[in-house]
Amino acid sequence: MDDNCIFCRVAQAELPAHIVFEDELVLAFLDIHPIRDGHTLIIPKRHYVWFEEMPEATAARIMAVGQRLARVMKQEWGVKRVSFFYTGIHVPHVHAHVVPMHHRHDVTSVQYLEAGVEGYSLPPNPGTEALVQTADRVRAQMAMTV
């Protein structure tokens, strides 16, 4: 664990999160600046900066949880496509994004570049109540899937 890492602190329950799934290897929780409703992050509980540093079992678990989330998101939001991608630009702790796609540009850089190429714009925070409701929806569906 890295005491300065925000995601390590989330994994240790030192910081709050809208958790939708947790096991011994990974934690899945809602992004507080979602691209779309349901946008979920999956992190390893152990600290790894780069995804290629993770043990294969942890990487495989992240993918399996991402697949389960994708099935849930397709059902809950009625979308045909769910995006799964790794980034590490702003938090140096491996994290995968799982995003229900309502539009083909939902996960393109245009979502982040309103401030121009050298800037960066976070999508708006929908607020605690909306995140609680979304987490409840996803968690309920995750409990019914294998």
Side-chain angles (χ1 to χ4, degrees):
M1 182 173 143
D2 180 340
D3 291 334
N4 296 317
C5 174
I6 191 168
F7 286 169
C8 284
R9 294 181 66 204
V10 168
Q12 294 296 315
E14 293 174 11
L15 292 175
H18 300 281
I19 297 169
V20 298
F21 178 84
E22 181 174 11
D23 68 13
E24 67 282 351
L25 292 176
V26 303
L27 181 69
F29 55 95
L30 297 182
D31 192 309
I32 62 170
H33 293 283
I35 295 169
R36 290 287 189 174
D37 192 27
H39 180 172
T40 301
L41 302 176
I42 308 170
I43 65 168
K45 286 187 168 179
R46 292 195 56 206
H47 184 79
Y48 302 100
V49 174
W50 309 109
F51 75 91
E52 68 273 15
E53 294 176 344
M54 286 186 294
E56 286 184 20
T58 303
R61 188 67 183 143
I62 288 173
M63 179 58 75
V65 171
Q67 289 177 315
R68 283 182 62 192
L69 280 166
R71 289 188 289 273
V72 164
M73 290 175 181
K74 284 181 175 183
Q75 180 180 346
E76 282 295 305
W77 282 275
V79 295
K80 291 184 179 182
R81 178 172 288 169
V82 174
S83 181
F84 178 97
F85 57 97
Y86 282 98
T87 61
I89 298 167
H90 298 97
V91 178
H93 183 118
V94 172
H95 54 289
H97 295 256
V98 187
V99 182
M101 293 182 65
H102 295 269
H103 188 275
R104 65 184 176 158
H105 291 298
D106 280 347
V107 296
T108 63
S109 59
V110 72
Q111 293 292 321
Y112 300 108
L113 297 177
E114 289 183 34
V117 176
E118 296 302 319
Y120 175 79
S121 302
L122 284 170
N125 181 316
T128 299
E129 185 58 34
L131 290 169
V132 167
Q133 290 174 3
T134 298
D136 288 346
R137 286 173 67 185
V138 174
R139 218 179 1 260
Q141 290 299 320
M142 286 292 282
M144 293 189 293
T145 65
V146 176

